[in-house]
Amino acid sequence: MALYILCTILFSLGLYCILRKRNIIKIIIGVIIAEYAVNLFFVLIGYRVEGRAPIHAPDQKILNMVDPLPQAIVLTAIVIGLATTALLIAIAMRIYEKYGTFDITKIKELKG
Amino acid sequence: MMHDPTNIIPFFVIIPLAGAFIISIVGKRLKWLPDVMGILATLGLLSISILSVRFVNLYGTLVYTVGGWKPPIGIAMVMDGLTAFFVVTINLVAFCVALFSINYMERFTSKWKFYALFLLMLGGMNGVVVTGDVFNLFVFLEIAAVASYALVAFGTEKHELEAAFKYAVMSSVGSLFILLAIAILYSYTSTLNMADMANVLIKKGEPSNIMLMVSVFFIMGFGLKSALVPFHAWLPDAHPSAPAPISAMLSGVLIKSLGIYALCRMFYNVIGVSDVTTSVFLFLGALSMIVGGILAIGQWDFKRLLAYSSISQIGYIVLGIALGTPLGILAGLFHLFNHSVFKSLLFLNSGALEYSTGTRDLKQMGGLFKKMPITGSTNMIASMSIAGIPPLSGFWSKLLIIIALVQAGRFGYAVWAVIISVLTLAMYLKVLRYGFFGQLKEKLNKVREVPIFMKLSMIALACICIIGGMLLVYGFGRFFLNPAADVMFEGTKYAAVTMAAVQ
């Protein structure tokens, strides 16, 4: 249970970072933190105490195994997250070239 | 094996992805290839999507099991009435946009990158619509979304970058909520297949607090993707900043396939609608309609006006669909189709204006009707259609939505729908008045009509606007519109139908 609460706190921390920070790089870090919290949550769903990997061997009986599907899914989610992050950072670099700042209060050409 | 109708389903994903792959490998060297590839891929997709409408009418729901693994274990691709409706809408707009881009994208360097991203986005959208697996839906949704962030930033000027950053951050937060909801759903039902999930949820009986939380996360996530009003802040920046063909794709189909389709599929076919979700959707729809309409009328940037108007029209669609009555759903889907056609046409018009005059500011235009007759007349058709002038398609769908609202006893919403419809007329009269009629400005004397392919694509969309009302005609609607509305009206019966279709 404590793990789930920590996970929620991590997610809220990421959201806080996205909503409150003014620096573009910090916002990107916020997105990454929130993303990892969701990934962690997904892995926790498949976890069992003292479970083992569900690999079948002829002379073994599997009594208590972890669910492998969330792990496969999280792997995909991590790759997607990598693409998003890379693109965000590329855009941030271009923004710095054009505006000369990372401060979003100074990057306000578009209104409302 | 060749005659198995389910075999066409994976091609909705294969064709655009393969096209994007080929373009990104050899597109840099062969200058002619990206154009040809873009046209061929979208034309192929359009033809197989029309074929799929025929197949759905002949054989009912079709299920393709990827790799031969039967659902619920394997990933399934499901083609039913709603999917067929959406693939036709998406690929029709995509084809016209690809045609338009041949000439329009000459202004940008590295056209091949544009086509590669465009096809990637198209593949993502088609994937979202054909998939029958919740996590697969998320993956395709992200493919389309990441490609669209890059396309919004395509011009790499100040505005484009700022809009793209805003869009990317907000949209990825939306994706996170969707992933979180999927995680909770998976832990609750122990399955990812939509049909199986619906079955498990029916067996579990009464909705619990967990499902309430999942619903809230889905509304937040898909609401962000479809720009319903409290979540709309990215749209008025992102859609105008993209190159015009991409604005047409984003406003025309992306927010619908990623937002509205996913919302409908999850809530109607998997989770099942309750009174609470119905009233939340009605409220969000009405709010989007009103706020979008009011904000749109004050805009002077042509594309920004169109973007706000998109929010307003999405409100109409959600209002119709959320009613849950057969007529309401039919009207909502009908308006969705019409809106994809006329809004993408309007964005292409704005692109044509920008191509010829170099500005999007309505104050600097005027009297362009004589100089650009085709752009002017197609714009007039689209404007009249979106404003709801009788013989054109927009009138019928709005009328149906209002009738459905009155029938369901929601008079307040019906009155608002009428008022916003008048406001829509006013804002498009403003576009026509300042853009095409009135005095020709001195410096616009040398303006010329746009090249041939741009004209062709605008004329094609305008023709669909005119004959769009035909979709209501009995025989035509029975094949195209009614199966889609039926899938949503039947609700969680989707599970039984899909499972029965697995051979």
Side-chain angles (χ1 to χ4, degrees):
Chain A
M1 196 62 207
L3 279 176
Y4 286 102
I5 293 169
L6 285 175
C7 214
T8 318
I9 291 172
L10 198 61
F11 187 65
S12 321
L13 212 64
L15 282 187
Y16 172 81
C17 203
I18 294 166
L19 294 172
R20 293 291 299 168
K21 292 292 168 190
R22 288 162 149 209
N23 189 313
I24 282 184
I25 299 296
K26 286 183 184 166
I27 292 174
I28 296 173
I29 292 173
V31 174
I32 298 170
I33 291 174
E35 204 173 271
Y36 280 13
V38 176
N39 288 345
L40 195 63
F41 179 75
F42 220 142
V43 171
L44 274 178
I45 283 169
Y47 177 71
R48 272 194 182 183
V49 181
E50 306 213 333
R52 47 159 292 193
I55 300 167
H56 182 70
D59 52 345
Q60 281 180 337
K61 253 191 185 171
I62 301 173
L63 295 172
N64 194 13
M65 63 173 191
V66 295
D67 186 352
L69 192 60
Q71 299 174 2
I73 283 173
V74 164
L75 211 57
T76 317
I78 288 172
V79 175
I80 293 170
L82 176 76
T84 316
T85 313
L87 192 64
L88 275 173
I89 291 172
I91 293 173
M93 279 165 62
R94 286 297 191 89
I95 286 180
Y96 190 75
E97 277 173 22
K98 299 278 177 194
Y99 287 84
T101 176
F102 278 130
D103 190 345
I104 53 164
T105 50
K106 295 200 179 96
I107 305 169
K108 268 203 297 198
E109 298 260 317
L110 299 167
K111 48 194 181 301
Chain B
M1 207 48 202
M2 277 307 289
H3 297 291
D4 191 356
T6 57
N7 281 343
I8 66 160
I9 302 173
F11 282 97
F12 285 107
V13 184
I14 293 171
I15 294 175
L17 289 189
F21 184 69
I22 293 169
I23 289 173
S24 52
I25 287 181
V26 288
K28 203 172 177 181
R29 284 184 217 111
L30 304 172
K31 293 287 174 213
W32 53 270
L33 183 109
D35 285 334
V36 175
M37 199 73 198
I39 289 292
L40 282 183
T42 45
L43 190 64
L45 283 169
L46 182 61
S47 23
I48 61 168
S49 43
I50 290 167
L51 199 64
S52 73
V53 173
R54 172 114 185 98
F55 280 167
V56 167
N57 276 296
L58 282 179
Y59 307 106
T61 303
L62 301 172
V63 178
Y64 178 83
T65 49
V66 179
W69 293 90
K70 298 259 181 272
I73 293 169
I75 291 170
M77 285 180 165
V78 183
M79 171 65 69
D80 58 9
L82 188 60
T83 304
F85 171 79
F86 266 92
V87 286
V88 170
T89 314
I90 291 170
N91 294 314
L92 180 70
V93 174
F95 174 64
C96 292
V97 164
L99 204 60
F100 188 87
S101 312
I102 296 177
N103 289 136
Y104 184 80
M105 293 310 285
E106 293 295 341
R107 310 191 310 153
F108 293 84
T109 49
S110 60
K111 207 174 173 186
W112 61 279
K113 283 182 191 158
F114 167 81
Y115 274 107
L117 285 167
F118 171 75
L119 286 179
L120 212 55
M121 184 169 85
L122 189 60
M125 282 191 287
N126 279 332
V128 166
V129 175
V130 297
T131 188
D133 183 277
V134 184
F135 186 71
N136 210 358
L137 185 143
F138 172 77
V139 172
F140 281 125
L141 190 137
E142 283 292 87
I143 293 175
V146 172
S148 73
Y149 311 152
L151 282 169
V152 169
F154 200 76
T156 60
E157 290 303 317
K158 276 186 163 184
H159 292 195
E160 280 97 345
L161 292 168
E162 189 189 337
F165 186 77
K166 209 175 190 179
Y167 173 35
V169 169
M170 290 189 74
S171 183
S172 22
V173 172
S175 308
L176 286 180
F177 277 109
I178 295 169
L179 186 60
L180 198 59
I182 290 172
I184 299 169
L185 257 184
Y186 174 70
S187 77
Y188 188 60
T189 61
S190 341
T191 176
L192 284 170
N193 186 282
M194 286 183 196
D196 197 34
M197 196 176 260
N199 272 335
V200 173
L201 286 175
I202 292 167
K203 274 196 204 107
K204 294 231 181 200
E206 279 302 294
S208 60
N209 285 339
I210 292 180
M211 288 320 290
L212 191 68
M213 196 156 119
V214 169
S215 305
V216 171
F217 284 159
F218 270 142
I219 291 175
M220 279 167 77
F222 292 133
L224 259 164
K225 298 278 179 197
S226 60
L228 290 173
V229 148
F231 318 110
H232 71 289
W234 56 272
L235 189 142
D237 292 341
H239 287 196
S241 298
I246 293 309
S247 314
M249 278 304 271
L250 293 179
S251 251
V253 287
L254 188 96
I255 50 175
K256 298 190 186 86
S257 56
L258 261 57
I260 307 277
Y261 169 82
L263 207 62
C264 293
R265 188 60 100 193
M266 290 315 290
F267 276 97
Y268 280 82
N269 293 145
V270 179
I271 298 175
V273 278
S274 62
D275 289 345
V276 182
T277 44
T278 302
S279 40
V280 168
F281 284 152
L282 280 176
F283 179 71
L284 288 180
L287 198 67
S288 313
M289 184 176 80
I290 296 163
V291 173
I294 290 170
L295 288 175
I297 200 154
Q299 303 296 325
W300 283 102
D301 181 338
F302 188 18
K303 284 175 95 176
R304 215 173 164 81
L305 185 148
L306 294 177
Y308 274 114
S309 154
S310 274
I311 298 175
S312 169
Q313 301 298 317
I314 284 289
Y316 271 104
I317 295 166
V318 172
L319 205 57
I321 289 173
L323 272 178
T325 57
L327 186 67
I329 292 173
L330 187 81
L333 289 176
F334 187 30
H335 195 61
L336 189 149
F337 177 78
N338 290 336
H339 180 248
S340 339
V341 174
F342 49 62
K343 187 48 67 67
S344 42
L345 175 52
L346 282 165
F347 267 115
L348 294 184
N349 285 149
S350 78
L353 284 178
E354 205 180 350
Y355 185 90
S356 295
T357 64
T359 179
R360 302 193 316 225
D361 192 347
L362 287 172
K363 282 178 186 159
Q364 292 178 24
M365 296 177 195
L368 287 169
F369 199 89
K370 284 197 197 89
K371 292 280 174 188
M372 306 168 72
I374 303 231
T375 311
S377 43
T378 49
N379 189 324
M380 192 143 99
I381 291 169
S383 304
M384 292 300 109
S385 188
I386 196 171
I389 302 293
L392 297 167
S393 57
F395 168 74
W396 301 107
S397 49
K398 277 191 189 174
L399 185 71
L400 273 185
I401 289 175
I402 292 164
I403 291 175
L405 283 166
V406 171
Q407 242 180 22
R410 312 263 182 183
F411 297 108
Y413 288 133
V415 171
W416 274 111
V418 174
I419 293 173
I420 298 299
S421 175
V422 175
L423 211 63
T424 313
L425 179 63
M427 78 177 91
Y428 284 99
L429 283 179
K430 172 178 156 183
V431 170
L432 287 174
R433 158 76 183 75
Y434 284 95
F436 291 99
F437 298 111
Q439 211 59 37
L440 187 66
K441 293 261 163 57
E442 195 62 32
K443 62 180 171 179
L444 295 177
N445 259 327
K446 286 193 187 126
V447 166
R448 273 189 299 169
E449 183 59 288
V450 291
I452 176 81
F453 287 115
M454 288 163 80
K455 274 187 212 162
L456 270 181
S457 111
M458 288 191 291
I459 291 170
L461 283 169
C463 289
I464 298 167
C465 265
I466 295 171
I467 61 165
M470 291 277 287
L471 284 178
L472 280 185
V473 176
Y474 178 71
F476 207 42
R478 198 181 47 173
F479 287 125
F480 185 53
L481 210 51
N482 289 16
D486 288 345
V487 169
M488 283 174 65
F489 184 62
E490 281 168 0
T492 43
K493 242 199 251 170
Y494 162 80
V497 173
T498 307
M499 280 306 184
V502 180
Q503 282 104 22

